[in-house]
Amino acid sequence: MLDATTRSGGTATASPRATAAELAVAVPPAPTASTAVPTRFAARCTRVLLSPWSRLSLLAVLLAAGGCGVLLFEPQRLLTEGLPAQLGGAAAALVFAVAYGVCTVAFVPRPLLNLAAGALFGSQLGLGVALAGTVLGAGIAFCLGRALGQDALRPLLRGRWLKAADGQLSRHGFRSMLAVRLFPGVPFWAANYCASVSRMGLLPFLLATALGSIPNTAAYAVAGARASAPTSPAFLIALACIALPALAGVVVAWRKRHQLRRL
């Protein structure tokens, strides 16, 4: 065939059909006004929804919903009514640990939940379940605060107290959080969200929470397990273990009051 080359002359001659196929280039269609406007609108909506203040608003809505849920379901009834009859064994412990974590995110006081853990599961299992719920709740609150609140709240850390707390948690996160968990005084939820706004890492936060919560949680779990015998030695020792750290925290705060005033 002579459509591609001419064998007689030795020179290549491209056919018109091959030349047209080689020169054909796919040119994307130019965007029209009808497609550009929705694209810009969608990009603008995405930026607004993912902005720091939008995420902080979402965090506030979630926490408010959690607080309303606690008011509706009244988890304190566990102390008087116990768990549902169909739950038992490992399933009951797992459900309670998850509910414990969710309740701490929704601002339910941990002492109430620790007493319930001891009353429902006894001293040893109650301690394990309460610690699992403590770490779970702290992790959920930390992740929520880090993802939804840190970018909006960090520029607001301008006061001396706020800057001092942020610097302490950012530079010495593990030991600072361990001290906060060992000595009562700072609410559990407040410590969680303060740590999430700082530059503290998640792993040191969870480890310090688990270790620092053991003494106080154990004391409340024993008190809940022995609440039916308020004059027993175990119950009295548990009360002493609850009161002594609180008293120590008050004494330390009183001795450091001058330093706190200079912040």
Side-chain angles (χ1 to χ4, degrees):
M1 297 178 66
L2 299 180
D3 57 344
T5 59
T6 57
R7 299 185 184 275
S8 61
T11 59
T13 304
S15 65
R17 184 168 51 187
T19 303
E22 292 175 359
L23 296 179
V25 178
V27 179
T32 61
S34 60
T35 59
V37 172
T39 302
R40 290 197 298 266
F41 179 75
R44 187 178 302 174
C45 291
T46 302
R47 287 195 300 269
V48 171
L49 291 176
L50 296 180
S51 65
W53 288 103
S54 296
R55 285 181 283 153
L56 182 62
S57 301
L58 176 60
L59 177 61
V61 170
L62 291 176
L63 296 180
C68 293
V70 168
L71 293 177
L72 290 175
F73 292 102
E74 299 180 353
Q76 65 272 15
R77 291 184 301 176
L78 291 174
L79 288 173
T80 57
E81 301 178 6
L83 292 170
Q86 59 270 26
L87 289 178
L94 179 62
V95 169
F96 185 87
V98 174
Y100 185 114
V102 174
C103 287
T104 57
V105 177
F107 312 116
V108 176
R110 282 185 63 248
L112 177 66
L113 298 172
N114 292 334
L115 289 173
L120 295 173
F121 300 101
S123 301
Q124 297 180 357
L125 183 58
L127 172 61
V129 171
L131 282 178
T134 296
V135 175
L136 176 63
I140 294 174
F142 184 93
C143 292
L144 285 176
R146 178 63 55 89
L148 300 179
Q150 186 186 46
D151 292 340
L153 294 178
R154 280 202 66 81
L156 302 180
L157 300 178
R158 299 174 182 175
R160 289 178 296 176
W161 281 60
L162 295 176
K163 287 184 177 179
D166 176 66
Q168 187 70 21
L169 288 172
S170 299
R171 292 190 301 267
H172 312 289
F174 175 79
R175 70 184 188 186
S176 300
M177 187 54 56
L178 184 64
V180 168
R181 300 306 191 194
L182 285 173
F183 295 100
V186 179
F188 184 74
W189 61 269
N192 294 338
Y193 292 112
C194 287
S196 69
V197 175
S198 73
R199 303 200 183 276
M200 182 180 183
L202 176 61
L203 184 59
F205 170 77
L206 293 180
L207 185 59
T209 297
L211 295 178
S213 300
I214 291 176
N216 186 264
T217 305
Y220 276 101
V222 172
R226 302 300 179 89
S228 58
T231 58
S232 63
F235 184 83
L236 296 177
I237 292 174
L239 288 183
C241 292
I242 294 171
L244 288 178
L247 181 61
V250 172
V251 172
V252 171
W254 175 258
R255 296 184 62 179
K256 299 291 184 180
R257 67 188 185 279
H258 299 296
Q259 298 180 9
L260 293 175
R261 289 175 181 174
R262 289 196 294 268
L263 291 178

